[in-house]
Amino acid sequence: DTEVTQTPKHLVMGMTNKKSLKCEQHMGHRAMYWYKQKAKKPPELMFVYSYEKLSINESVPSRFSPECPNSSLLNLHLHALQPEDSALYLCASSQSTHLPETQYFGPGTRLLVL
Amino acid sequence: GESVGLHLPTLSVQEGDNSIINCAYSNSASDYFIWYKQESGKGPQFIIDIRSNMDKRQGQRVTVLLNKTVKHLSLQIAATQPGDSAVYFCAENMEGGSEKLVFGKGTKLTVNP
């Protein structure tokens, strides 16, 4: 089973709202990732968690706040977003970050900021 | 060719033909490469990977070729089917671990029945 699940599938929010994206995997993977993908562009790395600790933040604005409550769950808290933040947000996981490993992606949350 | 603005490189083939999708990667120190398939409205799906100590790897109907001399990666799909229509991304692992996966621009494959 190489399934990563994400909720919600779609989200529409205003610029003053607070919302959260959720990601879950039950493959025993110890590395989890958030990516942002704009239309017709490749995914861009935002955050990496390794063994539940934040290991990489790709200079993401503070209006995006990641959280890893346990090894199976990854959240992305959203606050005061801008319309240009509208995109597909993808979660991925891999066995670890110690060796090159395949990253498995979820279906994404399509976010629209009004 | 290179994508400019909002346009992805595209490849259009007939059902049953073989497809070759190319990718130029950027870092000569990259040691791991992955091909992903992304269908409309879905997340990227793993197809095949290859490590830098190999130059060819075969899967079911797919073959990946790695040419480190010219930093070139290709994905060959045999007997292409309509279900293969998607955007294909190559990705390179930029450092020793799996943290930094950098994606290429993508190629849109259309299979005509």
Side-chain angles (χ1 to χ4, degrees), chain B residues 31-85:
Chain B
D31 54 8
Y32 181 57
F33 305 87
I34 308 173
W35 279 100
Y36 287 95
K37 171 187 179 183
Q38 188 172 25
E39 297 175 89
S40 182
K42 296 185 178 180
Q45 176 190 355
F46 170 83
I47 302 174
I48 192 167
D49 59 0
I50 189 167
R51 299 192 188 272
S52 58
N53 60 353
M54 304 172 71
D55 52 23
K56 181 179 179 179
R57 190 157 189 232
Q58 288 184 284
Q60 190 178 16
R61 278 201 310 120
V62 294
T63 301
V64 55
L65 299 177
L66 174 63
N67 185 331
K68 296 181 284 291
T69 304
V70 294
K71 293 191 288 185
H72 184 266
L73 200 62
S74 68
L75 177 70
Q76 300 176 0
I77 306 174
T80 317
Q81 302 166 0
D84 295 326
S85 294

